[in-house]
Amino acid sequence: MESAVAGETMARPGAAPDGEPVSALSVQNVSMVFNRGETQVHALDHVSMDIRDGEFIAIVGPSGCGKSTLIKLVSGLRTPTAGRLAVRGRQVMKPRGDVGIVFQSPVLLPWRSILDNVMLPIDVLKQDRTTGRERALALLRLVGLGGFETAYPNELSGGMQQRAAIARALVYDAPLLLMDEPFGALDALTREQMNSELQRIWQASGKTVLFITHSIPEAVFLADRIVVMSPRPGRVLKIIANPIPRMRTLDDMLRPEFGALVREIRGLLGGHVAGGENHGTRAEW
Ligand SMILES: Nc1ncnc2c1ncn2[C@@H]1O[C@H](COP(=O)(O)OP(=O)(O)OP(=O)(O)O)[C@@H](O)[C@H]1O
Ligand SMILES: [Mg+2]
């Protein structure tokens, strides 16, 4: 993408005063129980993970195991029943402005044009509109929506709306990006292109990314480490380091190591990847 976005190299957040590097995101023994009338839904059970600055983490797990709930806890939209979450050493207590979020379904304001939807964080955070606009336009081109700036959400397909939501999450240069199945609604070819673009943006920007997906190959293509979760109540079954070197290309999906990782994750999930659509990769899994 044009230099307005991908060319930037973000300064990495520093270390703690005592010299210890601070986790970009620390999740310690987090449990979440929802009360629904008489019944309780135990969504997450003692979930822990430590994410390094600049790391790309993918989370895979069966439908209903608490993945979206985890995103809401990290962003401060909800408070855990037990445990602690901290972003760069600071405990998450309330919704925070320094994270970019792509929700599972695109949440666009119907009365705002696509450009103005992407500009929303700039307006909310009262950032400079001229720079913000340039950035928004560049991001819209990046996600293949050049020419749709003045369109309204209802004039776009579901996949296009989701791409606009992705542009919006990137417009404010948040060091932490939370992405909840961002590419689920895209066709296979666009999804592959978005995977490659996301890898490039991530490498150029140094962002820390927490990425939820139902597609095991997508997780292996994108992530440094893959967190595999159990069915509800969601627990961490295993955190798997991905040795495949960067920059990865779609052809890397044909490597034996790639297939081995996919098989390992599939084995852990034991056929539980509900809602898992076919990813449409070139290889058969
Ligand atoms: N606001 C809520 N009130 C009550 N229960 C909730 C609430 N939000 C989520 N849950 C429950 O918590 C569990 C986990 O939901 P969550 O949306 O986090 O799952 P998920 O892993 O993201 O699933 P999917 O892969 O289908 O998106 C589910 O049983 C869900 O019904
Ligand atoms: Mg979800």
Side-chain angles (χ1 to χ4, degrees), residues 22-23 25-32 46-50 70 73-74 79-93:
V22 176
S23 289
L25 170 63
S26 161
V27 179
Q28 299 302 328
N29 274 318
V30 163
S31 295
M32 184 68 182
H46 292 90
V47 168
S48 296
M49 62 188 79
D50 249 308
L70 184 63
L73 296 177
V74 172
T79 312
T81 313
R84 187 175 185 275
L85 297 107
V87 173
R88 282 187 282 157
R90 298 180 66 182
Q91 188 167 2
V92 179
M93 308 289 271

Side-chain angles (χ1 to χ4, degrees), residues 68 104 180-181:
S68 297
Q104 201 162 348
D180 193 352
E181 292 186 56

Side-chain angles (χ1 to χ4, degrees), residues 116-168:
D116 284 343
N117 264 287
V118 175
M119 292 276 292
L120 191 65
I122 303 288
D123 292 343
V124 170
L125 296 165
K126 298 192 169 39
Q127 293 191 339
D128 178 48
R129 276 202 121 238
T130 312
T131 324
R133 192 169 186 280
E134 268 173 41
R135 211 177 148 74
L137 289 170
L139 281 164
L140 280 170
R141 285 196 296 276
L142 169 73
V143 298
L145 289 177
F148 287 89
E149 295 82 1
T150 56
Y152 284 84
N154 68 355
E155 298 175 274
L156 267 54
S157 73
M160 291 164 87
Q161 290 182 31
Q162 189 62 342
R163 282 185 275 148
I166 291 162
R168 184 182 55 194

Side-chain angles (χ1 to χ4, degrees), residues 203-261:
Q203 280 233 315
S205 67
K207 287 181 198 305
T208 309
V209 181
L210 192 60
F211 184 97
I212 291 174
T213 178
H214 274 128
S215 162
I216 302 174
E218 183 170 83
V220 175
F221 178 76
L222 284 169
D224 294 321
R225 288 190 294 159
I226 300 127
V227 178
V228 185
M229 293 185 63
S230 72
R232 190 178 63 243
R235 299 188 186 91
V236 175
L237 288 176
K238 192 169 182 187
I239 300 182
I240 301 173
N242 185 347
I244 299 168
R246 308 280 182 178
M247 294 280 287
R248 297 178 191 151
T249 67
L250 294 173
D251 286 338
D252 283 327
M253 293 179 141
L254 303 171
R255 290 165 71 136
E257 311 93 282
F258 195 99
L261 272 180

Side-chain angles (χ1 to χ4, degrees), residues 34-36 41 43 61-70 72 78 104 180-181 214 232 274:
F34 290 105
N35 290 306
R36 287 182 42 219
V41 179
S63 182
C65 77
K67 302 179 299 295
S68 297
T69 301
L70 184 63
K72 285 173 192 151
R78 284 194 169 268
Q104 201 162 348
D180 193 352
E181 292 186 56
H214 274 128
R232 190 178 63 243

